[in-house]
C-alpha cells in the first residue's frame, strides 16, 4: 500500500485544515514503515518531527472525527511508531553528542496510553481505557506511568479522568530520580492538579526525589506558592521539616529566605515545625536568613516561637542574626533580637572578629548603636582581629561625630586604646581633620590605662595627650609633628 501511495504523485503537505492535529493519511502511511529507532526523520516526511511533538496540542484546539480516528490508529501501535521516538528525543533534549540508543530516548513501554496522557487529550485517554486493553499503571522505559505524563504536561482534565479509576496508583515514581506525580505538580506550581492528587486516597505528600531529597512541600515553599503550601499542610501526615539532601534546606528555611511571611506563618502553625534547622552548607537557620535579608515580620514570628535560638552563627564566618541586623542597620530587627534575654550582643564573626557594635560604628548606624548601648553587657572596647581597631576608632576615622559622642557616654569605654600603629582616637581625629571630634575627645575623662600591644599600661591624667603632651601645650606631639608637611598616611579601611 505504501509503494502504491508513493507512486501516485507528489506527497501532499500536512495541514490542519481537516485533521486539527497534524495527522493526515499521507504522513501516517509514510511513517508506518519507518524504523522506530531513527534519530531524525528522512526528507520524504519533512514535517513529521514537528507533528510528532505537537499534534496533541493542535488537536486540543480543534477536534474532528477524522483526527480522532487517526489519533486512535496512531496510538494503537505507538510503541513501534517513529512518532513516539521523536517525541521522547525532543522531550529529553537529545543532543548530537549523546547516545541516541540510551534508555531514556527509546520508546519501549511508551504505549498509546502514555502518549495520549502526554498530549493531554482527555477524550482519547478515556476511549483507550474503555477498551480495557491498556494497563492504567503500566510503566514506560523510565518508570513513568500515564498519570505521571499527564501531570508533567499540566493536563488537569486527563489527570482527573485517570484518578477517577479506582485501580490507579497515585504514587508512581520514575526510576531516574524517584519523582512522583505530586512532586511534579508541586514543582510546576499546578494547584488544581495538587488538589486532585491530595484528594486521592493513598497519595503520599512526603515522597522526596532520590537525587536531592526534595519533597512537594519543599518545592512549594521554594517557589513561594502559598496556595499549594496550604493544600499540603491540610494533610495531618505532612512533614514540614524534611530537608533536601543537597544542602539541608527545609521549607521554613526557604520561606524565611524568600520573605514569604504568610508561608512562614502557615508552617509555624504546625507544632512540629523546627525553627532552628540550619542548612548543611553554611549552617544558616531560618532566623539567620530572615535577619540577613531584613525580613522584620518573619524575624518577629520566629522569635515568638518557643525554642527559637537567636544566637546561632553560620559555620562559614560565625555571623549571628544580630551581626547581620547591625551590619544592615535594621533598627527594628536589632530591637527585636535585643529583647531576648538570652541574646549575646558581643558575638564576633570568626573571619575578622567584628562585633555588632563594631559594624554599626563603622557604618554610621546611630540608631543601632543606641539600642546596643542600652545593654549593660555590651563590650565597647572589642577590637577586630584584622587591624585591631575598636568601634571608637572606626567612628573617628569616618567622621561620625554623633556616634563618637554616643560612645563616649559609656564609662567603660577607653578612648586611649592604642591602635597597632600606636595611635589613639584623638591622634586619628586630629590626623583626619575632624575638628568636632577632636573637641569631643579633648574633654576631661576619668583616668584610664592606655592599653598597648606589649601588654604594659600607663595611666594618663585628665586633659593629657599620649606622648606626655598637655592639650593646652603649644608643643605638638611626636605623632603629629612627624607628619608635618606630608600628605596624611592612608589608613586601611575595614572590610565591608
Amino acid at each position: 500500500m505504501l509503494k502504491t501511495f508513493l507512486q501516485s504523485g507528489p506527497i501532499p503537505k500536512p495541514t490542519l485544515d481537516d485533521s486539527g492535529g497534524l495527522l493526515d493519511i499521507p504522513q501516517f502511511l509514510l511513517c508506518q514503515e519507518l524504523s522506530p529507532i531513527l534519530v531524525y526523520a528522512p526528507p520524504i516526511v519533512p514535517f513529521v518531527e514537528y507533528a510528532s511533538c505537537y499534534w496533541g496540542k493542535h488537536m486540543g484546539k480543534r477536534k474532528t472525527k477524522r483526527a480522532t480516528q487517526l489519533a486512535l490508529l496512531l496510538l494503537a501501535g505507538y510503541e513501534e511508531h517513529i512518532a513516539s521516538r521523536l517525541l521522547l528525543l525532543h522531550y529529553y533534549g537529545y543532543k548530537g553528542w549523546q547516545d541516541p540508543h540510551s534508555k531514556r530516548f527509546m520508546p519501549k513501554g511508551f504505549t498509546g496510553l502514555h502518549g495520549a496522557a502526554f498530549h493531554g487529550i482527555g477524550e482519547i485517554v478515556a476511549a483507550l481505557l474503555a477498551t480495557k486493553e491498556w494497563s492504567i499503571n503500566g510503566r514506560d522505559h523510565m518508570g513513568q506511568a500515564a498519570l505521571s505524563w499527564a501531570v508533567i504536561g499540566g493536563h488537569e482534565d486527563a489527570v482527573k479522568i485517570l484518578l477517577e479509576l479506582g485501580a490507579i496508583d497515585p504514587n508512581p515514581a520514575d526510576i531516574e530520580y524517584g519523582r512522583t506525580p505530586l512532586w511534579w505538580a508541586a514543582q510546576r506550581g499546578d494547584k488544581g492538579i495538587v488538589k486532585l492528587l491530595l484528594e486521592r486516597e493513598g497519595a503520599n505528600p512526603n515522597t522526596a526525589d532520590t537525587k536531592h531529597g526534595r519533597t512537594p512541600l519543599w518545592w512549594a515553599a521554594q517557589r513561594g506558592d502559598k496556595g499549594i503550601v496550604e493544600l499540603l499542610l491540610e494533610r495531618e501526615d505532612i512533614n514540614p521539616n524534611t530537608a533536601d539532601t543537597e544542602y539541608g534546606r527545609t521549607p521554613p528555611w526557604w520561606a524565611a529566605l524568600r520573605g514569604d511571611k504568610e508561608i512562614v506563618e502557615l508552617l509555624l502553625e504546625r507544632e512540629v515545625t523546627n525553627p532552628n534547622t540550619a542548612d548543611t552548607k553554611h549552617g544558616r537557620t531560618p532566623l539567620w536568613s530572615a535577619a540577613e535579608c531584613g525580613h522584620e515580620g518573619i524575624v518577629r514570628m520566629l522569635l515568638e516561637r518557643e525554642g527559637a535560638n537567636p544566637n546561632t552563627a553560620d559555620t562559614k564566618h560565625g555571623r549571628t542574626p544580630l551581626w547581620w541586623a547591625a551590619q544592615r542597620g535594621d533598627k527594628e530587627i536589632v530591637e527585636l533580637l535585643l529583647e531576648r534575654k538570652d541574646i549575646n550582643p558581643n558575638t564576633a564573626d570568626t573571619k575578622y572578629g567584628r562585633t555588632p557594635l563594631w559594624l554599626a560604628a563603622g557604618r554610621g548606624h546611630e540608631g543601632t548603636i543606641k539600642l546596643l548601648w542600652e545593654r549593660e553587657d555590651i563590650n565597647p572596647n572589642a577590637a577586630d582581629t584584622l587591624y585591631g581597631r575598636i568601634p571608637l576608632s572606626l567612628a573617628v576615622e569616618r567622621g561620625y561625630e554623633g556616634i563618637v559622642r554616643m560612645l563616649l557616654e559609656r564609662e567603660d569605654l577607653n578612648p586611649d586604646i592604642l591602635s597597632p600603629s600606636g595611635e589613639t582616637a584623638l591622634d586619628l581625629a586630629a590626623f583626619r581633620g575632624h575638628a568636632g571630634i577632636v573637641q569631643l575627645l579633648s574633654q576631661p575623662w576619668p583616668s584610664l590605662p592606655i592599653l598597648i600591644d606589649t601588654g604594659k599600661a600607663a595611666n594618663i591624667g585628665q586633659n593629657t595627650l599620649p606622648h606626655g603632651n598637655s592639650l593646652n601645650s603649644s608643643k605638638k606631639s611626636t605623632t603629629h609633628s612627624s607628619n608635618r608637611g606630608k600628605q596624611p598616611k592612608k589608613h586601611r579601611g575595614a572590610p565591608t
Side-chain angles (χ1 to χ4, degrees), residues 335-447:
E335 187 172 14
L336 287 170
L337 289 164
L338 291 175
E339 287 174 358
R340 289 283 297 254
K341 295 180 181 179
D342 54 344
I343 193 79
N344 184 351
N346 297 311
T347 302
D349 66 74
T350 55
K351 187 176 184 180
Y352 297 122
R354 300 168 296 186
T355 64
L357 180 63
W358 192 99
L359 291 161
R363 290 178 174 269
H365 301 317
E366 291 191 30
T368 298
I369 291 177
K370 184 176 180 180
L371 291 169
L372 290 165
W373 228 221
E374 294 173 357
R375 289 286 296 244
E376 294 181 0
D377 55 344
I378 197 76
N379 181 3
N381 301 312
D384 70 279
T385 56
L386 185 63
Y387 298 126
R389 291 172 299 183
I390 62 173
L392 179 63
S393 298
L394 279 175
V396 168
E397 179 184 355
R398 296 176 183 184
Y400 298 139
E401 187 173 333
I403 291 178
V404 172
R405 185 185 302 276
M406 199 180 302
L407 292 172
L408 290 173
E409 292 175 357
R410 286 285 294 233
E411 293 182 359
D412 53 347
L413 175 79
N414 188 349
D416 295 316
I417 293 178
L418 299 182
S419 69
S421 58
E423 296 171 314
T424 65
L426 183 56
D427 290 327
L428 187 58
F431 189 82
R432 292 286 187 181
H434 301 314
I437 295 177
V438 169
Q439 186 175 3
L440 284 173
L441 292 168
S442 300
Q443 301 302 315
W445 56 71
S447 179

Side-chain angles (χ1 to χ4, degrees), residues 227-342:
I228 292 180
V229 170
E230 283 181 312
L231 287 172
L232 289 165
L233 288 175
E234 288 175 1
R235 289 283 297 255
E236 294 182 2
D237 54 344
I238 194 76
N239 183 355
N241 299 312
T242 302
D244 66 78
T245 55
E246 186 178 23
Y247 296 125
R249 297 163 296 191
T250 63
W253 188 97
W254 273 116
L257 178 72
R258 289 176 50 88
D260 288 318
K261 186 177 177 181
E262 293 180 330
I263 292 180
V264 171
E265 188 175 11
L266 287 169
L267 290 165
L268 290 177
E269 287 174 358
R270 298 293 292 256
E271 293 182 4
V272 296
T273 299
N274 186 349
N276 296 316
T277 302
D279 68 73
T280 55
K281 186 177 184 181
H282 295 308
R284 300 167 294 186
T285 64
L287 179 59
W288 190 100
S289 297
E292 190 260 349
C293 294
H295 302 315
E296 178 195 347
I298 293 176
V299 169
R300 184 184 301 275
M301 283 191 292
L302 289 167
L303 288 173
E304 290 173 352
R305 182 63 178 258
E306 185 178 354
N309 185 354
N311 295 311
T312 302
D314 69 85
T315 55
K316 186 177 183 181
H317 295 309
R319 298 162 297 191
T320 63
L322 183 59
W323 189 100
W324 272 115
Q327 193 256 12
R328 290 174 52 89
D330 281 323
K331 278 179 55 180
E332 293 77 10
I333 294 180
V334 169
E335 187 172 14
L336 287 170
L337 289 164
L338 291 175
E339 287 174 358
R340 289 283 297 254
K341 295 180 181 179
D342 54 344

Side-chain angles (χ1 to χ4, degrees), residues 156-190:
E156 189 171 335
D157 290 342
V159 170
K160 186 175 182 181
I161 290 171
L162 289 164
L163 287 174
E164 287 175 350
L165 300 172
I168 194 167
D169 176 10
N171 302 306
D174 66 73
I175 61 176
E176 188 174 27
Y177 296 128
R179 298 162 294 193
T180 64
L182 186 57
W183 186 100
W184 280 111
Q187 192 260 0
R188 287 175 48 85
D190 285 322

